């Protein structure tokens, strides 16, 4: 069983959170997500979450507000993997933030570009995030 360590970024500002969708994949395959990704060998989770959030959103001035906790997410039957996920509350100090935008990420080693459509949703509606990524929203909301 594959057990990768992952990070999940809740980027929040003014009671709204960044969500994304993989623009070139069907909704029923990728769903609505938040920035997330794999921790590289030797990388600290705090550094990984900032890297992944920058890569997937293109936003500047990102910073970690706090670590929310860690948990496991069983990817089966989609994939033979159990993710060890580290959840973080992030914010951005950028003054000029778009309401909706596209960002592109170069896939690690695959030589392809991944296109994301991003936008802000009210934090109180963030329960719609898929793939177990909403698991620590209650902790985030309780501390805001």
């Amino acid at each position: 069983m594959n057990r990768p360590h992952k990070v999940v970024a809740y980027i929040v500002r003014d009671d709204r959170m960044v969500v994304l969708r993989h623009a070139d994949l069907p909704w029923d395959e990728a769903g609505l997500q938040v920035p997330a990704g794999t921790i590289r060998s030797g990388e600290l989770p705090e550094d990984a979450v900032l890297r992944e959030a920058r890569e997937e959103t293109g936003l500047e001035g990102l910073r970690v507000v706090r670590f929310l906790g860690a948990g496991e997410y069983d990817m089966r039957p989609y994939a033979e993997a159990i993710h060890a996920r580290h959840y973080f509350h992030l914010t951005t100090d950028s003054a000029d933030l778009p309401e909706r935008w596209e960002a592109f990420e170069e896939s690690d080693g695959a030589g392809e570009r991944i296109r994301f459509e991003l936008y802000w949703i009210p934090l109180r509606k963030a329960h719609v995030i898929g793939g177990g990524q909403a698991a620590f929203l209650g902790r985030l909301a309780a501390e805001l």
Side-chain angles (χ1 to χ4, degrees):
M1 176 74 58
N2 189 13
R3 294 185 179 272
H5 283 260
K6 303 281 187 172
V7 289
V8 178
Y10 297 149
I11 304 171
V12 178
R13 182 146 167 204
D14 300 327
D15 292 321
R16 299 186 312 153
M17 186 168 66
V18 172
V19 293
L20 62 86
R21 100 173 186 84
H22 288 258
D24 298 318
L25 295 176
W27 274 99
D28 61 351
E29 185 176 329
L32 193 62
Q33 300 181 25
V34 293
T38 303
I39 300 172
R40 294 176 178 162
S41 178
E43 188 175 37
L44 295 173
E46 296 82 1
D47 295 332
V49 75
L50 288 170
R51 175 183 52 76
E52 287 289 350
R54 267 192 308 273
E55 288 175 357
E56 294 184 6
T57 68
L59 292 175
E60 298 294 328
L62 291 168
R63 62 182 168 82
V64 172
V65 176
R66 69 183 161 272
F67 173 68
L68 296 169
E72 287 189 344
Y73 185 74
D74 192 333
M75 293 293 291
R76 295 173 295 185
Y78 175 75
E80 285 296 314
I82 297 176
H83 292 176
R85 292 182 174 175
H86 306 262
Y87 294 80
F88 290 88
H89 172 194
L90 274 62
T91 194
T92 177
D93 295 324
S94 292
D96 189 24
L97 296 172
E99 285 297 314
R100 297 183 83 87
W101 69 101
E102 279 191 344
F104 298 88
E105 178 184 21
E106 299 296 326
S107 178
D108 286 343
E112 63 185 56
R113 286 179 84 192
I114 301 169
R115 183 168 63 106
F116 299 111
E117 293 175 351
L118 301 110
Y119 55 98
W120 299 87
I121 64 170
L123 186 57
R124 71 184 181 285
K125 294 184 178 181
H127 66 280
V128 299
I129 297 165
Q133 291 182 339
F136 281 69
L137 284 174
R139 290 185 186 185
L140 174 67
E143 296 177 8
L144 288 179

